[in-house]
């Protein structure tokens, strides 16, 4: 593999000039910069990241880590739920001319702590964004804090005030659904939630149940899925064996799609017979018939906030991160519009 010296010799410049030309810095003539880059391309030269890190003290790269669990469906690889989030992170990282490494690690991975030790000590990264998902032991946060390594979590603020995080405020979004059902006079309500140990599922259930506290329901039931379409199908079938609800809240859009399929097969109309509301505002919402009313947690904005705050932390512009982004209701066709009368 070619080195910088060979590039400089081919271009007829000093090593320092070649380095500045390739980095984009320094007072270099444009014709010289073009010649150096052309020579680097001819020689298939790749700048040495370790060398740049030693010179500047910065790797100009961050990681986005998605946590999974062997006990639940892998919605990182199996769905597009995190697409908008990644897009938001990437837009900020690109603008800052940084690199982004996407990692997926299971809580059960025996080498998980070793991964974080490499992140902290490897000098290939300046910081890390973590999407934890499940209620587990996050001992690696201690490793990050002990080494003063920049990090931020996408999680509810319930992790603690001494944790750098961007809060999704799911406990605000879910009550919007409860309020909607109450205004419509829905009395037989079901909730299809994600895994009981999933952080978003916990927050969304808490907010929804608190929002229904004074609604005077005749019946309320819950089922747990895994945020996938098949789990929404299974949960809706199980609910219908118990009773026929007049409103169903699914804590993500994929499960709502599965539930709507079962309702259609059971000759129950949405929203005339059963109101349906999802969560996340993914692209699946407008592909359903009827289109799905849902909660938008502003995934792309959350991604931009996570990346922007992490870069600010890396650059020393902030010393800690405690941000919150408030979700909102997106009304489409699946919840109905008219207020129902008591039956």
């Amino acid at each position: 593999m070619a080195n910088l010296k060979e590039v400089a010799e081919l271009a007829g410049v000093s090593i320092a000039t070649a380095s500045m030309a390739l980095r984009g810095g320094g007072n270099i003539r444009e014709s010289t910069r073009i010649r150096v880059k052309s020579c680097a391309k001819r020689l298939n030269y790749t700048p040495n990241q370790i060398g740049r890190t030693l010179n500047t003290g910065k790797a100009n790269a961050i990681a986005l880590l998605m946590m999974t669990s062997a006990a639940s469906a892998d919605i990182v690889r199996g769905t597009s739920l995190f697409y908008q989030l990644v897009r938001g992170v990437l837009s900020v990282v690109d603008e800052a001319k940084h690199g982004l490494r996407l990692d997926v690690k299971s809580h059960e991975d025996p080498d998980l702590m070793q991964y974080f030790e490499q992140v902290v000590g490897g000098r290939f990264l300046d910081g890390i964004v973590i999407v934890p998902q499940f209620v587990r032991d996050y001992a690696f946060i201690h490793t990050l804090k002990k080494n003063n390594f920049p990090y931020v979590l996408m999680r509810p603020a319930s992790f603690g005030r001494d944790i750098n995080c961007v809060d999704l405020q799911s406990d605000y979004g879910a009550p919007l659904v409860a309020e909607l059902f109450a205004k419509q006079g829905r009395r037989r309500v079901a909730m299809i939630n994600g895994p009981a140990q999933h952080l978003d599922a916990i927050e969304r259930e808490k907010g929804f149940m608190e929002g229904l506290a004074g609604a005077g329901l005749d019946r309320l039931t819950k089922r747990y899925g895994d945020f996938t379409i098949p789990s929404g199908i299974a949960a809706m079938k199980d609910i219908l064996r118990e009773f026929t609800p007049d409103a169903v809240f699914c804590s993500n859009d994929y499960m709502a799609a599965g539930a709507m399929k079962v309702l259609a097969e059971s000759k129950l109309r949405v929203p005339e017979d059963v109101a349906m509301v999802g969560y996340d505002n993914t692209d699946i919402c407008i592909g359903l018939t009827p289109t799905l009313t849902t909660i938008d947690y502003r995934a792309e904005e959350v991604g931009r906030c996570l990346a922007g705050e992490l870069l600010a932390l890396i650059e020393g512009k902030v010393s800690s991160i405690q941000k919150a982004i408030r979700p909102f209701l997106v009304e489409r066709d699946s919840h109905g519009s008219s207020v129902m009368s008591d039956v």
Side-chain angles (χ1 to χ4, degrees):
M1 181 181 292
N3 57 39
L4 185 60
K5 181 181 177 182
E6 292 170 324
V7 173
E9 288 175 349
L10 183 62
V13 298
S14 69
I15 293 175
T17 297
S19 176
M20 285 189 287
L22 293 171
R23 288 204 314 266
N27 187 19
I28 306 293
R29 288 182 182 178
E30 189 59 26
S31 59
T32 302
R33 195 184 309 279
I34 291 171
R35 186 169 74 254
V36 170
K37 287 184 176 180
S38 174
C39 291
K41 186 175 181 180
R42 283 173 57 190
L43 293 173
N44 292 321
Y45 170 72
T46 302
N48 188 315
Q49 179 63 49
I50 297 176
R52 283 205 304 263
T53 300
L54 291 173
N55 288 334
T56 66
K58 295 288 179 65
N60 289 333
I62 66 170
L64 171 59
L65 171 65
M66 307 283 199
M67 300 296 298
T68 61
S69 172
S72 188
D74 185 353
I75 59 174
V76 175
R77 297 181 178 91
T79 73
S80 65
L81 281 171
F82 293 109
Y83 170 74
Q84 294 297 337
L85 176 78
V86 174
R87 180 176 173 175
V89 171
L90 190 57
S91 68
V92 171
V93 171
D94 278 349
E95 188 176 345
K97 301 190 185 311
H98 279 46
L100 177 66
R101 189 173 95 185
L102 178 60
D103 292 329
V104 181
K105 292 288 180 183
S106 169
H107 283 288
E108 292 80 15
D109 186 342
D111 297 324
L112 184 60
M113 290 307 298
Q114 182 180 344
Y115 163 83
F116 278 96
E117 288 166 6
Q118 290 173 346
V119 164
V120 169
R123 304 188 71 175
F124 295 108
L125 297 168
D126 297 323
I128 187 168
V129 174
I130 304 169
V131 181
Q133 293 203 75
F134 298 93
V135 177
R136 298 293 294 268
D137 177 19
Y138 287 87
F140 54 75
I141 294 178
H142 174 70
T143 300
L144 297 172
K145 292 173 71 173
K146 182 180 68 175
N147 290 277
N148 200 29
F149 190 83
Y151 75 93
V152 59
L153 275 70
M154 185 192 84
R155 257 323 38 108
S158 57
F159 256 83
R161 292 198 173 275
D162 61 337
I163 300 296
N164 295 328
C165 73
V166 175
D167 182 11
L168 303 186
Q169 292 200 307
S170 291
D171 57 346
Y172 175 87
L176 297 177
V177 183
E179 180 183 344
L180 181 68
F181 288 166
K183 282 182 178 178
Q184 292 186 312
R186 308 286 179 176
R187 294 289 180 267
R188 302 183 310 279
V189 177
M191 179 182 187
I192 299 177
N193 202 4
Q197 295 300 307
H198 196 282
L199 291 160
D200 290 335
I202 291 169
E203 294 289 307
R204 292 171 190 182
E205 180 174 325
K206 175 187 173 187
F208 186 59
M209 294 304 160
E210 288 177 355
L212 290 174
L217 301 181
D218 296 331
R219 200 156 185 178
L220 173 64
T221 194
K222 293 178 290 185
R223 296 295 188 278
Y224 294 93
D226 58 17
F227 289 135
T228 65
I229 290 175
S231 74
I233 291 173
M236 193 69 247
K237 286 181 177 178
D238 196 43
I239 289 168
L240 290 179
R241 283 192 282 269
E242 179 184 337
F243 76 113
T244 301
D246 59 18
V248 178
F249 170 45
C250 295
S251 67
N252 88 330
D253 301 330
Y254 279 78
M255 293 191 300
M260 286 175 65
K261 180 178 186 297
V262 172
L263 291 173
E265 291 170 350
S266 303
K267 310 302 182 188
L268 291 166
R269 300 166 301 165
V270 175
E272 293 85 355
D273 300 319
V274 184
M276 179 69 65
V277 178
Y279 206 111
D280 292 334
N281 197 25
T282 55
D283 54 354
I284 199 172
C285 296
I286 58 174
L288 296 171
T289 302
T291 55
L292 183 63
T293 295
T294 188
I295 298 294
D296 191 328
Y297 78 87
R298 306 173 189 247
E300 188 169 347
E301 185 178 341
V302 169
R304 289 197 300 269
C305 184
L306 285 163
E309 291 297 315
L310 179 62
L311 292 179
L313 192 64
I314 291 167
E315 293 162 9
K317 295 178 181 178
V318 299
S319 58
S320 62
I321 301 167
Q322 289 285 325
K323 293 284 184 177
I325 294 180
R326 180 157 287 189
F328 63 94
L329 179 68
V330 180
E331 295 192 39
R332 295 194 177 95
D333 299 326
S334 66
H335 72 285
S337 55
S338 59
V339 177
M340 300 177 62
S341 57
D342 291 333
V343 235

